[in-house]
Amino acid sequence: MTKIRPRDFHNPYSAYSSTFSSLDEVIVMAQIGIQYLPGTDAKDVHERLQGALAAESCVYQAEAGRHVDAAGRANEVFMTYWTSDEDYQRWRAEHPLESWAPSLVERGIGLWVETIQVPARRLETSFSTQDVRWGIAESRSTQLNPFHSYFGSMRDRIHDAEDGGLPVTVQDVSMGAVTSLDRHIWFEVPENACFIRSPQGWRHCPDAERDWFEERMLPVYQVGVDYLVDNPLTTGCLSIRKLDVDFPAGSQVQTSSLAWWQSLAHLEAWAHEHPTHLAILKSFGELAAHFAPDVTVVLGHEVYVVPEGGARAEYVNCHDRTGLLPFFGHLSTTESHPLTHH
């Protein structure tokens, strides 16, 4: 495998990555969402789902946050991890979707689950600090990684992406009106679609670094997120949610962006070329240069590239702009069925 990293390149700051037992080690990451109009009482649904996650030892990691989507719906999102598909399937069998919220339609509550199952050879992680307590890095060792801070470094960190691997498989994407209101529909996410989780944590920073991040970097990052929200077809960023993280209490991260991309190449194009992301890189470079070598702000990401049959999205009583529904909802090969009113 040929690395893109120039031989004479010197990293401007340190970065770290998670370690895995082998390239075939599997990680399952599921976003589980509760959707409703602001003011709706969905506390019991949240508590039921949180209890189901906390009660099972097979759940590797669970975090949660909230955001309001483009349709004005509140979404409570659990970011959950398992270390095998068998563990995840057992958990789903014991806690079926329909059990989480009775009388969905009558209460105006939607549920959605977007799951990705990926071997280590198709994912990568990168962290600004060695002490990482979120996502798949929780309870997992990290190591210094020299493949960062240059264009193409993400591909160098993904084993199967080297030498141009993991190409675009869905060339043309359009938006359609596919709703799951009063229905339960599901579909497979196309092969080589890409998912990225990017957290930000500054609560525990020294005052000077925290102020710098809040005043100089966070607004620049928000401009990039807003651009992606407004331009899904132009960028290939088909869905992005920026959560305010509120669980667990005292979490190392305060916000987390969750984004689906049409492909790794689409993510790379925005990261390498678009002014909004170049501005983000510049603002972090300035922060790192000013506070090095003691940078404490928590930044980084997890990137997953979907194998064939490795990702599934399902929506119950959700509006037609939810997640991947407007882009791939037409791929559903199973007839959706009306929900039972009770």
Side-chain angles (χ1 to χ4, degrees):
M1 297 290 186
T2 304
K3 297 291 187 183
I4 298 171
R5 186 183 194 270
R7 291 186 177 182
D8 59 349
F9 181 77
H10 297 282
N11 299 111
Y13 48 85
S14 297
Y16 305 85
S17 293
S18 291
T19 60
F20 298 91
S21 60
S22 75
L23 291 173
D24 296 319
E25 181 181 349
V26 170
I27 295 294
V28 178
M29 193 275 188
Q31 300 175 74
I32 305 173
I34 307 166
Q35 183 183 97
Y36 52 86
L37 282 169
T40 301
D41 183 5
K43 183 179 180 181
D44 63 311
V45 185
H46 179 99
E47 291 177 347
R48 185 178 290 112
L49 179 52
Q50 184 169 327
L53 291 166
E56 298 291 341
S57 60
C58 68
V59 178
Y60 178 76
Q61 170 77 341
E63 304 159 67
R66 303 167 186 259
H67 89 116
V68 176
D69 64 27
R73 264 59 168 190
N75 287 257
E76 299 183 32
V77 184
F78 286 84
M79 299 162 283
T80 54
Y81 296 80
W82 289 260
T83 54
S84 76
D85 184 56
E86 291 77 12
D87 284 345
Y88 173 67
Q89 296 301 336
R90 184 171 68 253
W91 182 85
R92 280 299 301 267
E94 294 174 356
H95 305 281
L97 193 63
E98 295 80 3
S99 72
W100 300 347
S103 306
L104 282 177
V105 177
E106 292 87 344
R107 300 174 64 189
I109 297 174
L111 298 174
W112 54 266
V113 183
E114 296 168 357
T115 308
I116 185 167
Q117 174 190 342
V118 178
R121 63 175 59 252
R122 277 178 166 259
L123 68 84
E124 64 96 354
T125 62
S126 185
F127 313 120
S128 60
T129 64
Q130 192 167 13
D131 176 27
V132 187
R133 288 171 276 122
W134 60 269
I136 59 178
E138 175 70 14
S139 304
R140 186 182 293 271
S141 63
T142 58
Q143 63 183 11
L144 195 66
N145 192 327
F147 301 106
H148 68 89
S149 310
Y150 57 91
F151 293 145
S153 58
M154 181 167 55
R155 192 169 286 274
D156 275 353
R157 293 190 298 269
I158 302 176
H159 180 276
D160 284 7
E162 296 181 10
D163 298 330
L166 308 180
V168 180
T169 59
V170 180
Q171 297 291 344
D172 298 312
V173 173
S174 60
M175 297 182 69
V178 180
T179 182
S180 72
L181 292 176
D182 196 16
R183 307 189 76 78
H184 179 184
I185 66 174
W186 57 92
F187 51 86
E188 286 190 358
V189 180
E191 181 183 9
N192 289 353
C194 181
F195 176 79
I196 179 170
R197 177 185 176 189
S198 304
Q200 301 81 39
W202 62 96
R203 177 187 292 127
H204 306 294
C205 292
D207 291 347
E209 186 180 357
R210 183 173 60 250
D211 291 346
W212 182 297
F213 180 79
E214 290 180 338
E215 296 170 7
R216 304 191 191 191
M217 186 172 177
L218 196 57
V220 176
Y221 181 78
Q222 187 62 51
V223 169
V225 171
D226 292 343
Y227 178 80
L228 295 176
V229 169
D230 294 337
N231 296 277
L233 297 180
T234 302
T235 61
C237 182
L238 305 180
S239 170
I240 182 167
R241 305 174 173 109
K242 184 168 178 282
L243 309 185
D244 292 320
V245 177
D246 54 20
F247 175 81
S251 171
Q252 191 182 36
V253 300
Q254 283 74 71
T255 58
S256 194
S257 295
L258 310 170
W260 283 101
W261 290 78
Q262 192 172 335
S263 71
L264 182 63
H266 286 81
L267 172 55
E268 286 180 304
W270 178 69
H272 295 177
E273 301 168 8
H274 199 271
T276 55
H277 192 263
L278 296 179
I280 294 170
L281 292 178
K282 180 174 182 290
S283 66
F284 176 67
E286 292 169 347
L287 181 149
H290 186 82
F291 293 99
D294 300 316
V295 175
T296 61
V297 65
V298 176
L299 300 171
H301 61 247
E302 302 169 345
V303 174
Y304 306 81
V305 184
V306 177
E308 183 178 5
R312 171 182 165 114
E314 55 185 309
Y315 305 90
V316 179
N317 203 43
C318 295
H319 65 77
D320 61 4
R321 298 170 66 186
T322 305
L324 296 174
L325 198 52
F327 303 99
F328 299 132
H330 66 282
L331 297 178
S332 178
T333 56
T334 304
E335 183 179 357
S336 61
H337 57 273
L339 300 177
T340 301
H341 294 255
H342 55 280

